[in-house]
Amino acid sequence: MDISILRHSASHLMAMAIKRLFKEVHFGIGPAIDDGFYYDIDLDKRLEPEDLIKIEEEMKKIVKEGLPFERIEITRDEAEKFFLEKNENFKVEIIRDLPSDVKIVSLYRNGDFVDLCRGPHVDNTKDIKYFKLLNLAGAYWRGNEKNKMLQRIYGTAFFKKEDLDEYLKFLEDVKTRDHRILGKDLKLFSTSEDIGPGLILWHPKGSIIRHIIETFWKEKHFESGYELLYTPHIGRAFLWETSGHLGFYNENMYAPINIDDQNFYIKPMNCPFHILVYKNSLHSYKELPIRYAELGTVYRYERSGVLHGLMRVRGFTQDDAHIICKKEEVKDEIKRVIDFCLFMLKTFGFSEYKIFLSTRPKEKYVGSLEDWQLAEESLEDAIKSSGYEYDIDDGGGAFYGPKIDIKIKDALKRDWQCSTIQFDFNLPERFDMSYIGSDGEKHRPYMIHRALLGSIERFFGVLIEHYKGAFPVWLSPEEVRILTINENHEKYANEIFENLKNKKLRVKKDFTNEKLSKKIRDAQLEKVPYMIIIGDKEIEHNTISIRTRQNKNLDIKNVDDFLKYILEKVENKDIEI
RNA sequence: GCCCAUGUAGCUCAGUGGUAGAGCACUUCCUUGGUAAGGAAGAGGUCACGGGUUCAAGUCCCGUCGUGGGCUCCA
């Protein structure tokens, strides 16, 4: 049996328990979702976490009562009348909105509790054994903020106790990986009330990681035929009128800054600037494709309620690029981008992907149908020839072009969307971009907009959670820490330190007046991959002892051997230490 | 933005109307210790901010800001 049936039944079970505990309650919808189920309810009393426990207990009672799920079919008119009498207006609304060809609706009954439901369900409440209510939230009726705010209760249910336990453990694991907590503990980044929400302060340890990411990124972009750009953070209103952003992206843009009686806007995207670099001179078809890349910092207004650590912020840096090319180059360029993208993601330790192709929206779109067809085919061909599986999100493209989104799976198998490859029919037209073809005439180039890591902030957040803060050596803010046992060992330890330092390793000393076990604990909590321990034995034999953050001692005793070992790990960007 | 919760030392948190607390971190001293916390002392707070109720507010009420869980949208 499908688990969603069990969860859907659990949602009925919960509703029944709520109805027993709180008489004056009205029900919205209560579906099964990916990880469990929820029910939206309209209740005057504000539910508190303790209420969840009470509801859960009531649910257990109903399970014991062993009430069968009984399917009743009636006409929609009868159903409407039934729920009208019960004052269940949300249900009435659902029935009224059913397609006109639906004549018969089904109800499910357990004892005296009846709910509108398509079903199917488990046979009996006693089949719902392993469940847990998880959290409370507000949710608008039908997801529309103009509607009434209901109280939503989330829960989950499983067939087997082990599965429920495993899921609860997963939730705990998610908590211990939270990048906001780790970011604070490991001193990677912070936000400040004095600066404002959604604006990130990168601390030295986070900044060094960002520097490594960006340096690697630039290197690989040069190798892949990109040219690097730096562009301003603000631009005249005229620019954003031309690009159309003031029209279609206005609600994400900040109010203008008035300078010498002219309005300037903080950039929410980099594209217009890249286009103006292109337009600064005439281009021959021989120059194409042109690939402009920039780590461009943009600012977008996001509603306060959606901000979340590094994952959703108001100021962020996109690893942006715009590829300007001829029609016949499109397919090849897309393929190159996909390969490049997957190479980058893989280097950072992500090797499972989901690829989505989003096609032309049904109504609002720019560009000709031919253009769309070419673009969609090119995107699809490129994915196919890369040999990856993909799903099609029909009608999910932007109005200015179709796109490919790549979602990565992290260590907990959660999906994250970072990469996006988007076709743009809009901007080349609006900015009247052109190149001179072999016929001596002007032609309109095609433009592809892409971000591989997406935003550096979000990508960093995903990295932190993926590695639980224990980064591979090449990304670790501190690669090695040298610990002495007492002050007599400092001179020798300093020699080792200088030796590693000379090889550009990020190494720190802990010569503090503490016991070794304390120093190890400190290094361990900071997730430093390698600890070098120096005591009498090491000095006597001219060796080092190396402990890894995985509580293991390396066999290597010789400094040069260790250097060879670690530098190879760094060079190869090994995930394992 | 909306609903709910929440904001006390750098961090984690206790403190339900009557003289601001603990642990960790920090500073100093003692200790010279071999693989996840040695000991002592010290310093550290306009209890987010602004109003109000009260003889008295960290505590009760209102507002603002921040944070968290969601709704909607997205990198």
Side-chain angles (χ1 to χ4, degrees), chain A residues 298-317:
Chain A
V298 296
Y299 292 86
R300 298 181 184 174
Y301 172 73
E302 297 285 356
R303 303 165 107 194
S304 58
V306 305
L307 300 173
H308 181 88
L310 293 174
M311 303 303 189
R312 195 69 186 277
V313 293
R314 285 181 173 164
F316 58 100
T317 300

Side-chain angles (χ1 to χ4, degrees), chain A residues 19 88 133 149 210 292 298 378 433 507 516 563:
Chain A
K19 184 73 183 171
E88 290 287 358
L133 303 188
M149 174 75 69
R210 176 166 173 169
Y292 289 144
V298 296
S378 305
M433 294 168 76
V507 51
L516 178 63
L563 275 172

Side-chain angles (χ1 to χ4, degrees), chain A residues 33 40 64 107 141 230 233 345 413 429 440 487:
Chain A
I33 51 174
D40 285 345
K64 276 198 189 131
L107 310 182
W141 167 238
Y230 292 99
H233 287 67
L345 295 173
K413 305 283 176 201
E429 200 70 35
E487 62 213 22

Side-chain angles (χ1 to χ4, degrees), chain A residues 16 49-50 96 103 119 166 196 285 313 399 447 467 541 556:
Chain A
M16 205 186 317
E50 296 82 77
R96 284 184 182 159
K103 305 286 184 223
E166 193 185 322
Y285 69 96
V313 293
F399 75 90
M447 189 166 95
Y467 289 115
H541 300 105
I556 300 167

